[in-house]
PDB file of all heavy atoms in Angstrom:
ATOM      1  N   ALA Y  44      -6.393 -11.461  -0.614  1.00  0.00           N
ATOM      2  CA  ALA Y  44      -7.062 -10.443   0.260  1.00  0.00           C
ATOM      3  C   ALA Y  44      -6.305  -9.138   0.243  1.00  0.00           C
ATOM      4  O   ALA Y  44      -6.947  -8.047   0.142  1.00  0.00           O
ATOM      5  CB  ALA Y  44      -7.314 -10.988   1.630  1.00  0.00           C
ATOM      6  N   VAL Y  45      -5.018  -9.205   0.375  1.00  0.00           N
ATOM      7  CA  VAL Y  45      -4.185  -7.992   0.390  1.00  0.00           C
ATOM      8  C   VAL Y  45      -4.275  -7.271  -0.892  1.00  0.00           C
ATOM      9  O   VAL Y  45      -4.475  -6.040  -0.985  1.00  0.00           O
ATOM     10  CB  VAL Y  45      -2.752  -8.355   0.735  1.00  0.00           C
ATOM     11  CG1 VAL Y  45      -1.863  -7.122   0.579  1.00  0.00           C
ATOM     12  CG2 VAL Y  45      -2.651  -8.881   2.181  1.00  0.00           C
ATOM     13  N   SER Y  46      -4.250  -8.005  -2.000  1.00  0.00           N
ATOM     14  CA  SER Y  46      -4.353  -7.409  -3.372  1.00  0.00           C
ATOM     15  C   SER Y  46      -5.682  -6.770  -3.592  1.00  0.00           C
ATOM     16  O   SER Y  46      -5.767  -5.731  -4.204  1.00  0.00           O
ATOM     17  CB  SER Y  46      -4.116  -8.542  -4.372  1.00  0.00           C
ATOM     18  OG  SER Y  46      -4.304  -7.998  -5.732  1.00  0.00           O
ATOM     19  N   TYR Y  47      -6.766  -7.290  -2.917  1.00  0.00           N
ATOM     20  CA  TYR Y  47      -8.017  -6.651  -3.087  1.00  0.00           C
ATOM     21  C   TYR Y  47      -8.109  -5.335  -2.437  1.00  0.00           C
ATOM     22  O   TYR Y  47      -8.779  -4.405  -2.958  1.00  0.00           O
ATOM     23  CB  TYR Y  47      -9.088  -7.644  -2.455  1.00  0.00           C
ATOM     24  CG  TYR Y  47     -10.522  -7.147  -2.427  1.00  0.00           C
ATOM     25  CD1 TYR Y  47     -11.251  -7.010  -3.695  1.00  0.00           C
ATOM     26  CD2 TYR Y  47     -11.192  -6.750  -1.315  1.00  0.00           C
ATOM     27  CE1 TYR Y  47     -12.508  -6.529  -3.659  1.00  0.00           C
ATOM     28  CE2 TYR Y  47     -12.457  -6.326  -1.242  1.00  0.00           C
ATOM     29  CZ  TYR Y  47     -13.156  -6.176  -2.525  1.00  0.00           C
ATOM     30  OH  TYR Y  47     -14.470  -5.709  -2.560  1.00  0.00           O
ATOM     31  N   LEU Y  48      -7.360  -5.081  -1.351  1.00  0.00           N
ATOM     32  CA  LEU Y  48      -7.454  -3.882  -0.627  1.00  0.00           C
ATOM     33  C   LEU Y  48      -6.272  -2.896  -0.931  1.00  0.00           C
ATOM     34  O   LEU Y  48      -6.415  -1.714  -0.806  1.00  0.00           O
ATOM     35  CB  LEU Y  48      -7.342  -4.122   0.866  1.00  0.00           C
ATOM     36  CG  LEU Y  48      -8.481  -4.930   1.473  1.00  0.00           C
ATOM     37  CD1 LEU Y  48      -8.227  -5.284   2.898  1.00  0.00           C
ATOM     38  CD2 LEU Y  48      -9.766  -4.150   1.405  1.00  0.00           C
ATOM     39  N   ASP Y  49      -5.076  -3.364  -1.287  1.00  0.00           N
ATOM     40  CA  ASP Y  49      -3.867  -2.658  -1.263  1.00  0.00           C
ATOM     41  C   ASP Y  49      -3.496  -1.931  -2.571  1.00  0.00           C
ATOM     42  O   ASP Y  49      -3.819  -2.310  -3.687  1.00  0.00           O
ATOM     43  CB  ASP Y  49      -2.724  -3.620  -0.973  1.00  0.00           C
ATOM     44  CG  ASP Y  49      -1.355  -2.917  -0.701  1.00  0.00           C
ATOM     45  OD1 ASP Y  49      -1.355  -1.816  -0.147  1.00  0.00           O
ATOM     46  OD2 ASP Y  49      -0.342  -3.510  -1.134  1.00  0.00           O
ATOM     47  N   GLY Y  50      -2.881  -0.819  -2.407  1.00  0.00           N
ATOM     48  CA  GLY Y  50      -2.147  -0.113  -3.597  1.00  0.00           C
ATOM     49  C   GLY Y  50      -3.122   0.684  -4.403  1.00  0.00           C
ATOM     50  O   GLY Y  50      -4.303   0.920  -4.132  1.00  0.00           O
ATOM     51  N   TRP Y  51      -2.609   1.022  -5.588  1.00  0.00           N
ATOM     52  CA  TRP Y  51      -3.320   1.817  -6.560  1.00  0.00           C
ATOM     53  C   TRP Y  51      -4.578   1.224  -7.042  1.00  0.00           C
ATOM     54  O   TRP Y  51      -5.583   1.847  -7.272  1.00  0.00           O
ATOM     55  CB  TRP Y  51      -2.355   2.093  -7.821  1.00  0.00           C
ATOM     56  CG  TRP Y  51      -3.026   2.791  -8.924  1.00  0.00           C
ATOM     57  CD1 TRP Y  51      -3.190   2.284 -10.175  1.00  0.00           C
ATOM     58  CD2 TRP Y  51      -3.518   4.149  -9.003  1.00  0.00           C
ATOM     59  NE1 TRP Y  51      -3.850   3.156 -11.018  1.00  0.00           N
ATOM     60  CE2 TRP Y  51      -4.005   4.319 -10.261  1.00  0.00           C
ATOM     61  CE3 TRP Y  51      -3.641   5.219  -8.079  1.00  0.00           C
ATOM     62  CZ2 TRP Y  51      -4.637   5.539 -10.646  1.00  0.00           C
ATOM     63  CZ3 TRP Y  51      -4.254   6.403  -8.444  1.00  0.00           C
ATOM     64  CH2 TRP Y  51      -4.720   6.486  -9.730  1.00  0.00           C
ATOM     65  N   THR Y  52      -4.584  -0.078  -7.248  1.00  0.00           N
ATOM     66  CA  THR Y  52      -5.733  -0.798  -7.708  1.00  0.00           C
ATOM     67  C   THR Y  52      -6.643  -1.419  -6.667  1.00  0.00           C
ATOM     68  O   THR Y  52      -7.694  -1.947  -6.972  1.00  0.00           O
ATOM     69  CB  THR Y  52      -5.288  -1.977  -8.643  1.00  0.00           C
ATOM     70  OG1 THR Y  52      -4.480  -2.895  -7.890  1.00  0.00           O
ATOM     71  CG2 THR Y  52      -4.579  -1.464  -9.850  1.00  0.00           C
ATOM     72  N   GLY Y  53      -6.296  -1.276  -5.394  1.00  0.00           N
ATOM     73  CA  GLY Y  53      -7.045  -1.788  -4.313  1.00  0.00           C
ATOM     74  C   GLY Y  53      -8.280  -0.915  -3.952  1.00  0.00           C
ATOM     75  O   GLY Y  53      -8.275   0.285  -4.322  1.00  0.00           O
TER      76      GLY Y  53
END
Side-chain angles (χ1 to χ4, degrees):
V45 171
S46 177
Y47 179 68
L48 296 175
D49 185 39
W51 172 247
T52 58

